[in-house]
Amino acid sequence: MNIVIKNEHDIEKMRVAGRLASEVLDFIGPHVVAGVTTEELDKLCHDFIVQVQDAIPAPLNYAPPGYSPYPKSICTSVNHQICHGVPGPKKLKNGDIINIDITVIKDGYHGDTSRMFIVGEGSLAARRLCEITFEAMWLGIEQVKPGATLGDVGAAIQKFAEGFGYSVVREFCGHGIGTKFHEEPQVLHYGKPGTGITLVEGMIFTIEPMLNAGRREIKEMPDGWTIVTKDHSLSAQWEHTVLVTADGYEILTVSEGTPANPRLKKEAA
Ligand code: MF3
Ligand code: CO
Ligand code: CO
């Protein structure tokens, strides 16, 4: 396994890329309304990344082995779409939930983050799935510190999610990230405490759990990218890029609009 340990120079660049990715989500949030198409959201983000941020949308033409080049600049996964939803001409409607996943490259370094947005009010079930998935991501993040294992991260997420009757998608995972979009290690969102690699200061990876309201099985659409739930149940995902620090973690994908850690919010209340 070749896990790149980042130095202070890399980390500073990753903070910049991470903040830019998060700022794209801040920017696009107000545009996520009924009647807009995901293609329009893609164009808005593309132009913001290229013209305002002077950065590169990493998904555009991204072609890992066995895949055709990804045709758009962002991923928009609506309702039963789990991840890698390709923006298109379909309009969002009231009650839809949508994951917008942004990856930018700045100065050769990647920042990767996603959030859920709800169009209008959303059903109770939809709001709950989005909220529990957000908390699951945070529970995973809170395991991160030197000496902890990736199994600790996955186990925390899985236990919490399954406690609500949700299932964890197995086929896609978090990943190391840096000068490459997807690096080692793979960060599974399920597993057993104390298993897997041990975390070391200077590692940077994403935590990006995908939770289904129904069964965990997936299906790939004919476009070669969009992944949906086989049983058509709703799916949600949140993602942060995280640095292992000397005594814990630092979230690199932060900006003014980043939703707060839900447990800190509860303590304050
Ligand atoms: N941003 C996704 C991730 O979190 C990867 C998207 S690959 C793409 O890893 F080509 F679909 F953009
Ligand atoms: Co990612
Ligand atoms: Co992503």
Side-chain angles (χ1 to χ4, degrees):
M1 184 127 48
N2 178 32
I3 301 176
V4 181
I5 304 299
K6 274 72 177 179
N7 63 30
E8 204 37 59
H9 169 86
D10 298 323
I11 291 168
E12 197 42 50
K13 299 277 188 191
M14 289 296 286
R15 285 193 186 105
V16 173
R19 176 165 40 77
L20 291 176
S22 189
E23 283 175 354
V24 178
L25 290 171
D26 296 351
F27 159 76
I28 203 63
H31 296 279
V32 182
V33 293
V36 76
T37 68
T38 48
E39 215 157 55
E40 287 163 350
L41 297 176
D42 175 73
K43 168 98 170 94
L44 286 164
C45 289
H46 171 94
D47 292 352
F48 185 78
I49 293 166
V50 171
Q51 289 160 23
V52 179
Q53 298 187 329
D54 195 21
I56 299 166
L60 190 58
N61 296 316
Y62 182 61
Y67 284 81
S68 56
Y70 189 79
K72 297 287 181 182
S73 294
I74 67 173
C75 297
T76 53
S77 303
V78 180
N79 294 335
H80 72 296
Q81 295 179 344
I82 297 170
C83 63
H84 305 167
V86 179
K90 200 166 160 187
K91 286 187 167 90
L92 292 179
K93 58 180 191 318
N94 241 336
D96 283 347
I97 63 171
I98 175 174
N99 173 276
I100 302 185
D101 192 341
I102 302 291
T103 311
V104 304
I105 310 171
K106 181 74 171 181
D107 269 352
Y109 288 81
H110 292 72
D112 188 6
T113 183
S114 78
R115 298 181 199 158
M116 294 302 298
F117 297 88
I118 302 177
V119 183
E121 214 177 308
S123 69
L124 189 59
R127 293 204 304 267
R128 195 167 111 107
L129 176 65
C130 294
E131 189 58 37
I132 296 302
T133 306
F134 181 61
E135 291 196 30
M137 173 190 68
W138 268 105
L139 258 177
I141 291 170
E142 286 179 341
Q143 309 308 310
V144 173
K145 60 174 183 209
T149 70
L150 281 181
D152 297 340
V153 173
I157 292 168
Q158 180 180 17
K159 188 168 170 228
F160 181 73
E162 291 180 352
F164 287 89
Y166 298 142
S167 61
V168 177
V169 172
R170 307 284 176 107
E171 290 83 353
F172 297 91
C173 55
H175 49 92
I177 181 166
T179 55
K180 295 210 209 82
F181 195 161
H182 294 101
E183 300 181 354
E184 286 171 345
Q186 295 196 34
V187 180
L188 306 182
H189 304 111
Y190 61 95
K192 302 236 178 304
T195 65
I197 65 143
T198 300
L199 304 185
V200 170
E201 183 181 357
M203 287 180 179
I204 297 181
F205 49 80
T206 70
I207 297 181
E208 47 179 304
M210 286 146 268
L211 266 48
N212 298 345
R215 298 177 57 86
R216 70 174 176 81
E217 284 77 15
I218 69 163
K219 202 175 77 183
E220 185 183 304
M221 298 304 283
D223 64 18
W225 278 102
T226 307
I227 305 295
V228 301
T229 56
K230 202 169 164 190
D231 66 4
H232 249 75
S233 63
L234 283 183
S235 187
Q237 177 179 29
W238 291 78
E239 175 176 24
H240 268 311
T241 299
V242 179
L243 164 71
V244 184
T245 62
D247 58 357
Y249 63 85
E250 176 184 334
I251 309 286
L252 300 177
T253 34
V254 283
S255 59
E256 248 167 61
T258 309
N261 178 340
R263 252 163 316 282
L264 297 184
K265 223 165 40 188
K266 275 175 198 157
E267 276 162 30

